[in-house]
Amino acid sequence: MPAPGSGAADTSSSASAIFEGRVSGHHVLHIENYSRTKERLPNHTSINSRPFRVGGYSWYLCYFPNGESSENADYISVFLCLEQSATGRVEALARLSLLDRAGKPVPSHTREAEVFEYAADESYGFFDFIKRDFLEASEHLKDDCFRIRCDIFIPEGLLTEDRAAFVDVPPSDMHQHFRDLLKSKDGADVTFRVGGEIFRAHRYILGARSPVFKAELLGTMRESTATEDCIQIDDMLPQVFKALLHFIYTDSWQEMKEQEEAMMAQHLLEPADRYDMKRLKLICENKLCNHLEVSTAATTLVLAEQHNCPGLKEACIEFLISPDALEAVMETDGFEHLTKSCPALVKELMSKLATRLYKRRKLSA
């Protein structure tokens, strides 16, 4: 407030906020050979996950396939624990979620615990996290495997920050403008023919998004493409090229039905690699990791090897070295293609399977 007699008041405005800051992180626990864990670990018996770090602390999940006590013997119990190496006590909030096949939390089986003060080897979680009858009858248990996600939120205390007082700046809508530009074809200066369909685009936008397109359309190869009425692409489906252009102009995945995503990701992985579009390539890898099935695992492993996708390759191998999964995959045409096109990859797969079986035998001895 201005002092009396000081003249006109200051009309500028500002705002600030006091809020509770927090750090967060998550860990996904893969339960493989669920039926085996159920047989080997009776009621009140658990197995721990590998340690993982969130907020500078080491945590682990405690998994009871037949419940933590006799009162919850029909349930799977899951608890979050702080490792012995931790010093002092840590306040944290845990959220546990059963994941569906697409890797998304199942709303009916997402549970959030209250803020709990953890000490070394103290745990907090849910005795009745999942009823086994529900899990075994659901689509979330596939090939005897399912996944649990644990999100951890650790309060950092009270913080302050500046806040806009009157002006609410909307999020960027640049992607919408570029999408409309692609749709309208205004100013388009390059034409592609893909599978009998014609696509018009803007060479400077393509060049800005892909170093390969930049060389072809703006660099040393420009003369050859500039004189052509239409650039022919013979080894790509029209709908795949359409999805590629959509990503180039909007930096987003084209909307489609969930069951179509895995097929599109398989098709888009090759052009993403060919045109050196790293983010699109990683998106394809991630979607394929979340849609691994017996019918596609071997084919996807070949794709991962051909296009240098280490994360996807590791996910495929982890899926395949489950004995039940491998036996089913070996009956598919994809596995025959794998053995013919990548024999060294089959040797690597069998070596990792042998190592996994050896470790299991050693643990059961």
Side-chain angles (χ1 to χ4, degrees):
M1 176 180 293
S6 63
D10 183 359
T11 59
S12 65
S13 62
S14 64
S16 64
I18 297 175
F19 64 98
E20 186 177 50
R22 64 183 183 180
V23 294
S24 63
H26 75 272
H27 178 77
V28 177
L29 177 63
H30 295 249
I31 310 297
E32 299 180 4
N33 297 310
Y34 157 72
S35 57
R36 181 74 169 148
T37 67
K38 187 174 68 170
E39 291 171 4
R40 292 190 56 193
L41 299 172
N43 178 247
H44 197 60
T45 308
S46 67
I47 187 169
N48 297 338
S49 74
R50 296 293 297 273
F52 57 94
R53 295 189 68 80
V54 173
Y57 298 92
S58 185
W59 308 82
Y60 62 92
L61 291 174
C62 197
Y63 164 72
F64 294 80
N66 287 288
E68 192 276 342
S69 65
S70 57
E71 288 78 9
N72 42 74
D74 294 333
Y75 289 84
I76 292 170
S77 304
V78 184
F79 298 88
L80 173 65
C81 309
L82 186 66
E83 272 215 303
Q84 280 185 341
S85 57
T87 56
R89 305 181 75 86
V90 185
E91 277 195 350
L93 181 149
R95 181 193 300 140
L96 293 171
S97 306
L98 172 66
L99 298 184
D100 63 19
R101 297 308 299 170
K104 298 177 182 178
V106 178
S108 63
H109 283 75
T110 296
R111 307 276 298 275
E112 190 166 291
E114 298 176 355
V115 174
F116 180 73
E117 193 175 70
Y118 292 83
D121 275 344
E122 286 190 359
S123 63
Y124 192 91
F126 301 99
F127 295 90
D128 57 348
F129 181 58
I130 310 171
K131 195 163 188 178
R132 285 198 306 278
D133 288 349
F134 167 83
L135 177 67
E136 292 167 9
S138 74
E139 61 181 9
H140 312 308
L141 179 68
K142 190 164 187 180
D143 300 321
D144 208 28
C145 304
F146 71 100
R147 292 173 291 174
I148 297 171
R149 171 172 169 145
C150 176
D151 289 271
I152 303 175
F153 306 92
I154 304 174
E156 286 189 309
L158 296 177
L159 305 174
T160 63
E161 70 173 13
D162 293 331
R163 293 279 174 91
F166 302 115
V167 179
D168 183 17
V169 180
S172 171
D173 60 353
M174 183 184 292
H175 64 286
Q176 296 177 5
H177 293 288
F178 278 90
R179 182 194 61 197
D180 293 342
L181 181 64
L182 175 63
K183 188 176 180 180
S184 69
K185 304 178 180 60
D186 291 341
D189 58 355
V190 62
T191 304
F192 297 88
R193 179 181 287 110
V194 185
E197 292 191 26
I198 298 297
F199 297 88
R200 304 246 327 135
H202 306 78
R203 62 178 66 232
Y204 280 97
I205 292 177
L206 270 59
R209 298 283 281 147
S210 160
V212 177
F213 273 131
K214 184 177 181 179
E216 291 180 353
L217 303 175
L218 303 174
T220 55
M221 300 173 64
R222 177 174 181 173
E223 287 188 8
S224 62
T225 60
T227 56
E228 293 181 13
D229 293 332
C230 190
I231 299 173
Q232 182 78 29
I233 298 180
D234 295 318
D235 54 352
M236 197 181 307
L237 295 170
Q239 61 267 35
V240 176
F241 191 74
K242 182 179 179 181
L244 177 67
L245 287 179
H246 177 88
F247 184 85
I248 287 173
Y249 278 74
T250 68
D251 201 42
S252 65
W253 187 264
Q254 191 174 25
E255 289 188 13
M256 62 188 69
K257 295 179 181 178
E258 186 175 329
Q259 58 267 31
E260 297 174 351
E261 283 198 341
M263 185 63 69
M264 181 57 73
Q266 280 191 342
H267 286 298
L268 268 177
L269 184 61
E270 191 280 329
D273 189 30
R274 181 198 308 183
Y275 293 111
D276 197 15
M277 298 178 64
K278 294 181 175 61
R279 184 168 182 272
L280 177 58
K281 185 177 175 182
L282 289 172
I283 290 173
C284 291
E285 284 190 65
N286 184 55
K287 289 188 179 293
L288 289 171
C289 285
N290 290 330
H291 286 87
L292 284 175
E293 297 178 354
V294 167
S295 60
T296 61
T299 304
T300 303
L301 180 56
V302 173
L303 280 175
E305 181 77 356
Q306 290 174 340
H307 299 291
N308 190 27
C309 304
L312 179 58
K313 178 180 176 180
E314 184 178 351
C316 290
I317 290 176
E318 282 296 316
F319 180 89
L320 287 166
I321 60 178
S322 168
D324 295 338
L326 182 58
E327 185 176 351
V329 171
M330 290 177 69
E331 299 297 321
T332 65
D333 293 338
F335 190 81
E336 185 176 352
H337 172 62
L338 171 64
T339 57
K340 291 180 179 178
S341 59
C342 303
L345 199 54
V346 176
K347 289 183 179 179
E348 181 181 349
L349 176 64
M350 295 306 170
S351 174
K352 292 194 175 184
L353 175 60
T355 302
R356 174 68 60 87
L357 294 174
Y358 171 75
K359 288 181 179 179
R360 286 176 179 169
R361 285 196 298 269
K362 196 170 181 181
L363 285 173
S364 61

